[in-house]
């Protein structure tokens, strides 16, 4: 079958379309004929060796498709089911057929397009798990540091759905988007604390950081209770500051809840570009360069005329 991945750790020059065997599902796994697959920063980080991988490997961490085989102990799914979920080891999704972890898979509702479903497990799933971890009461104020990115958009929307006030740091070019999702946008950089205080004079109850580095160190000073400081961008620093990483759930229940929110119009995965598998290199370059304004998704076959539902 056709797939896209890398032949050795390094730069984009090691990426290629590959001919690889059709995978066989093991215990707790499904095999799906891929309709759509998400593109994430973790894909280029895997290729460059950040996770210790030596290659070769097929890229792709999340997919939506039709089940073609069910492995042992993968209860709740049958051949022909339309599903979406995460790939074992967070690899293998950019292919005509891919494996999906059954415990991190869910049935795709008819009203949720494959392109939207394939964008949920990684970014929206992280956002969902972060809010569950913080467990803030309605009316509390959350600062999202980096609200204009792939996780920032979902976390703002999900936080607003929980009744939270949200302030989001972002580049000025993304302020309109951050505001559309429901947050009060403030600019990064010098003076950010003054701008946050102006946007939230009542104070900040929790911080979810998606930037890391000095930006994380700065906004952490807004909290006296560092147990309400989360970061997925700089795990060593957030631990040093008294906060923590997000504990991922990666469950069918979370994916089912996210799909329901998309179907209701509460959550927009913000898919802004859909490309065929053959253009995976272009898709990954856009994400790696930080030029993607929203979620980039690959499809196997000719891209459909995908239109996200408006947020209600």
């Amino acid at each position: 079958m056709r797939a896209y991945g890398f032949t050795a750790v390094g730069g984009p020059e090691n990426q290629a379309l590959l001919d690889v065997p059709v995978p066989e599902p093991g215990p707790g796994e499904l095999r799906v004929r891929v309709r759509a697959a998400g593109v994430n920063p973790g894909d280029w980080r895997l290729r460059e060796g950040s996770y210790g991988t030596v290659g070769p490997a097929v890229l792709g961490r999340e997919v939506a498709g039709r089940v073609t085989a069910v492995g042992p102990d993968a209860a709740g799914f049958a051949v022909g089911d339309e599903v979406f979920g995460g790939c074992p080891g967070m690899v293998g999704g950019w292919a005509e057929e891919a494996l999906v972890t059954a415990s991190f898979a869910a049935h795709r509702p008819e009203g949720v397009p494959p392109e939207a479903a394939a964008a949920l497990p990684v970014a929206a799933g992280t956002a969902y798990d972060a809010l569950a971890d913080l467990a803030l009461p309605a009316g509390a104020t959350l600062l999202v540091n980096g609200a204009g990115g792939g996780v920032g958009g979902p976390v703002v929307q999900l936080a607003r759905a929980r009744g939270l006030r949200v302030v989001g740091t972002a580049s000025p070019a993304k302020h309109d988007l951050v505001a559309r999702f429901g947050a009060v946008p403030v600019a990064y950089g010098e003076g950010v604390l003054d701008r946050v205080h102006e946007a939230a004079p009542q104070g900040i109850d929790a911080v979810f950081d998606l930037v890391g580095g000095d930006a994380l160190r700065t906004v952490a000073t807004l909290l006296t209770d560092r147990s309400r400081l989360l970061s997925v961008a700089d795990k060593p620093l957030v631990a040093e500051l008294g906060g923590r990483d997000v504990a991922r759930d990666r469950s069918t229940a979370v994916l089912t809840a996210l799909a329901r929110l998309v179907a209701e119009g509460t959550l927009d995965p913000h898919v802004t570009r859909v490309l065929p598998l053959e253009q995976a290199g272009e898709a990954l370059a856009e994400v790696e360069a930080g030029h993607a304004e929203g979620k980039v998704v690959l499809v196997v076959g000719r891209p459909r005329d995908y239109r996200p539902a408006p947020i209600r």
Side-chain angles (χ1 to χ4, degrees), residues 127 131 144 147 151-161 166-168 178 181-183:
L131 292 170
V144 180
V151 179
V155 81
V156 169
Q157 296 174 70
L158 294 173
R160 294 292 295 144
V166 185
V167 176
V178 170
F181 286 148

Side-chain angles (χ1 to χ4, degrees), residues 126-204:
T126 299
Y128 190 99
D129 291 343
L131 292 170
D133 190 343
L134 289 170
L136 296 172
T141 302
L142 171 69
L143 174 68
V144 180
N145 198 33
V151 179
V155 81
V156 169
Q157 296 174 70
L158 294 173
R160 294 292 295 144
R162 285 172 171 253
L164 305 181
R165 303 188 190 99
V166 185
V167 176
T169 67
S171 63
K174 293 187 175 181
H175 281 193
D176 286 347
L177 177 65
V178 170
R180 181 166 72 86
F181 286 148
V184 178
V186 299
Y188 288 126
E190 185 176 352
V192 65
L193 294 181
D194 291 335
R195 291 188 289 276
V196 170
H197 286 308
E198 183 178 353
Q202 74 279 4
I204 298 296

Side-chain angles (χ1 to χ4, degrees), residues 162-278:
R162 285 172 171 253
L164 305 181
R165 303 188 190 99
V166 185
V167 176
T169 67
S171 63
K174 293 187 175 181
H175 281 193
D176 286 347
L177 177 65
V178 170
R180 181 166 72 86
F181 286 148
V184 178
V186 299
Y188 288 126
E190 185 176 352
V192 65
L193 294 181
D194 291 335
R195 291 188 289 276
V196 170
H197 286 308
E198 183 178 353
Q202 74 279 4
I204 298 296
D205 298 301
V207 171
F208 182 28
D209 168 68
L210 301 161
V211 181
D214 289 342
L216 166 58
R217 195 180 294 276
T218 298
V219 297
T221 63
L222 294 164
L223 296 176
T224 54
D225 181 0
R226 295 292 176 85
S227 70
R228 291 188 167 183
L229 174 65
L230 300 182
S231 177
V232 293
D234 198 331
K235 297 175 185 179
L237 179 56
V238 76
E240 174 191 322
L241 295 171
R244 62 190 184 280
D245 187 14
V246 174
R248 291 301 314 276
D249 187 334
R250 295 193 175 96
S251 69
T252 296
V254 167
L255 294 184
T256 299
L258 289 170
R260 183 176 64 251
L261 291 167
V262 173
E264 293 172 352
T266 301
L267 173 64
D268 174 9
H270 196 46
V271 176
T272 56
R273 197 160 189 216
V274 178
L275 293 170
L277 178 64
E278 293 78 6

Side-chain angles (χ1 to χ4, degrees), residues 7-74:
T7 55
V9 166
E13 68 278 4
N14 294 331
Q15 297 168 193
L17 277 168
L18 309 170
D19 288 320
V20 299
V22 175
E24 290 298 326
E29 295 177 346
L30 312 171
R31 186 179 70 215
V32 303
R33 185 172 298 281
V34 176
R35 298 189 187 278
V39 181
N40 294 281
D43 296 311
W44 65 261
R45 292 182 182 129
L46 178 73
R47 183 213 64 220
E48 73 173 8
S50 295
Y51 307 133
T53 304
V54 296
V58 174
L59 292 166
R61 306 159 76 85
E62 55 187 353
V63 302
R66 179 174 59 83
V67 176
T68 57
V70 178
D73 304 320

